[in-house]
Amino acid sequence: MPRLSAPWEIKRQLLIKAEEETDYTYGCKPEDRPINDYIRFGIINLDKPAGPSSHEVTAWLKRILDIKEAGHGGTLDPKVTGILPIGLLEATKIIQALLISGKEYICVTRLHKQTPENKIKQVLQEFQGLIYQRPPLRSSVKRQLRTRKIYYIDLLEIQEKDILFKVGCEAGTYIRKLSHDIGEALGCGAHMQELRRTRAGPLTESDNLVTLHDVSYYWAEWQQKQDESLLRQFIKPMEKALELLPKIVIRDSAVDAICHGANLATPGITAIETGINTNDTVAIFTQKNEAVALAKTLKPTQELLKVSHGLAAKTQRVLMPRGVYPKLWRGSK
């Protein structure tokens, strides 16, 4: 099967629909938020260790930072290591965006007998594209047959019965089941030996990946020195997690209406990215690059650029609190 384009390989261009200045009296660039808001709307690119569950790691992080709410973007089995994005407080609202942005793993699979390299490569290629999977018995979801996209599988190394490969896939793909199915297709049987997640949506191992020990150290240092740069080293604005979603930029005057749950009307748009189709999930941003909401589009990019009235998208999840921008929409007092 031919290699599919992963979400992080899709290139988009921001097209201007209307020129308008933003008012810096309201809101601010995400990286310039006051430290309390920076934490409140922050995410951590955490390197999960082998042993604890994703839920335990998240609970430990809450205790370290002394916060009441945090959520992780995509469960990793206890023995699996790698990227576990953690949304803090208000940033837990963006977790669903990470769940649709794709994942990448490095996997060691043990074949039950040695197999020629050319046969392994051939079978791996057959698993690229759309595959059928039924969640394993120990999974936390209903065991229904479902489809998942495998963007690519690259064979990295073979050592006797062990094969090392990199796989880019749709969220919700079970790599343990994939390893088993590869073994069945090879006719020798196989099981997953070791697994590490190297990407979750836009977050990679080079994007300020930190351990629990790093977080504990930086937090203790900040409490002692009150140096904000210590926290900014490992906490990133929640907007980072939305980088792979198509983007629509809106006027200042439209922001508070969206924050109150209104749907996005086309006159409120100042810019829109290419490649948006009807019913796509998009991220709505201010002109200062602040995340306002997640929405479902009602029209594709080219049509939204042309029309001057009607609805552009239905708001699905509001991310920005009310009152950050002034209430300038119709019906305000």
Side-chain angles (χ1 to χ4, degrees):
M1 291 290 291
R3 183 186 176 108
L4 300 179
S5 293
W8 47 89
E9 296 173 329
I10 297 172
K11 305 299 181 184
R12 300 182 187 274
Q13 182 182 358
L14 189 66
L15 304 176
I16 304 301
K17 180 178 172 68
E19 297 282 355
E20 182 173 301
E21 293 292 324
T22 184
D23 186 347
Y24 279 89
T25 306
Y26 312 105
C28 68
K29 294 179 179 179
E31 60 270 21
D32 295 334
R33 287 179 179 130
I35 196 62
N36 287 338
D37 283 345
Y38 193 81
I39 297 170
R40 182 182 169 200
F41 298 98
I43 61 168
I44 295 177
N45 190 16
L46 192 72
D47 190 351
K48 179 193 168 296
S53 68
S54 298
H55 179 76
E56 287 174 319
V57 170
T58 305
W60 292 341
L61 189 70
K62 286 165 62 178
R63 284 204 296 269
I64 291 170
L65 302 181
D66 192 25
I67 58 176
K68 293 183 179 180
E69 190 174 3
H72 61 79
T75 302
L76 290 176
D77 288 346
K79 292 182 180 180
V80 179
T81 67
I83 293 175
L84 184 69
I86 308 286
L88 311 178
L89 300 167
E90 294 286 340
T92 56
K93 296 175 181 177
I94 56 89
I95 292 301
Q96 69 181 91
L98 284 168
L99 298 179
I100 61 174
S101 296
K103 308 288 171 62
E104 184 185 82
Y105 298 88
I106 300 291
C107 179
V108 177
T109 289
R110 175 157 295 176
L111 306 181
H112 295 168
K113 69 176 183 180
Q114 285 189 245
T115 305
E117 181 176 338
N118 62 339
K119 186 176 181 181
I120 295 171
K121 287 183 176 179
Q122 178 186 341
V123 167
L124 289 181
Q125 295 308 302
E126 290 173 359
F127 277 86
Q128 287 187 160
L130 202 63
I131 67 167
Y132 290 93
Q133 268 199 343
R134 192 184 301 277
L137 286 169
R138 289 184 292 175
S139 66
S140 58
V141 298
K142 193 172 183 180
R143 298 190 68 244
Q144 289 182 326
L145 190 66
R146 56 188 185 174
T147 59
R148 285 294 180 267
K149 289 179 182 176
I150 304 295
Y151 305 118
Y152 52 82
I153 301 183
D154 298 330
L155 181 64
L156 303 178
E157 189 177 343
I158 300 175
Q159 191 173 73
E160 296 181 349
K161 297 179 183 179
D162 291 334
I163 61 171
L164 178 71
F165 61 87
K166 176 171 66 176
V167 54
C169 57
E170 189 177 1
T173 304
Y174 287 91
I175 308 301
R176 187 181 303 278
K177 184 67 167 62
L178 178 64
S179 293
H180 174 271
D181 292 345
I182 288 170
E184 291 291 297
L186 286 168
C188 64
H191 64 273
M192 190 183 81
Q193 190 78 358
E194 192 173 343
L195 186 67
R196 179 172 177 81
R197 185 153 68 195
T198 53
R199 176 187 281 273
L203 300 174
T204 67
E205 292 183 305
S206 60
D207 291 321
N208 295 96
L209 186 66
V210 293
T211 65
L212 282 168
H213 291 94
D214 294 330
V215 173
S216 182
Y217 170 77
Y218 286 128
W219 185 258
E221 285 288 291
W222 174 71
Q223 288 183 312
Q224 181 179 352
K225 300 177 181 178
Q226 293 298 300
D227 181 356
E228 292 184 7
S229 66
L230 292 166
L231 295 190
R232 295 178 192 269
Q233 285 190 55
F234 71 92
I235 300 176
K236 294 299 170 186
M238 66 179 183
E239 284 77 7
K240 173 67 181 175
L242 303 175
E243 286 182 351
L244 298 186
L245 287 185
K247 178 189 293 186
I248 295 179
V249 183
I250 61 174
R251 304 175 189 272
D252 289 0
S253 57
V255 174
D256 197 60
I258 302 298
C259 293
H260 278 77
N263 294 322
L264 176 62
T266 51
I269 298 174
T270 63
I272 183 170
E273 285 191 335
T274 54
I276 295 175
N277 299 307
T278 302
N279 208 39
D280 277 355
T281 297
V282 297
I284 299 175
F285 283 84
T286 70
Q287 295 178 81
K288 303 179 188 74
N289 203 37
E290 304 154 287
V292 181
L294 302 177
K296 286 280 189 179
T297 51
L298 298 174
K299 298 178 178 68
T301 295
Q302 292 305 316
E303 192 172 342
L304 289 174
L305 285 170
K306 295 175 183 177
V307 298
S308 57
H309 62 278
L311 292 180
K314 287 188 175 182
T315 300
Q316 300 288 308
R317 179 80 178 190
V318 175
L319 305 176
M320 178 181 284
R322 300 174 181 180
V324 177
Y325 280 71
K327 189 176 180 180
L328 301 174
W329 37 288
R330 188 170 60 186
S332 62
K333 295 181 180 179

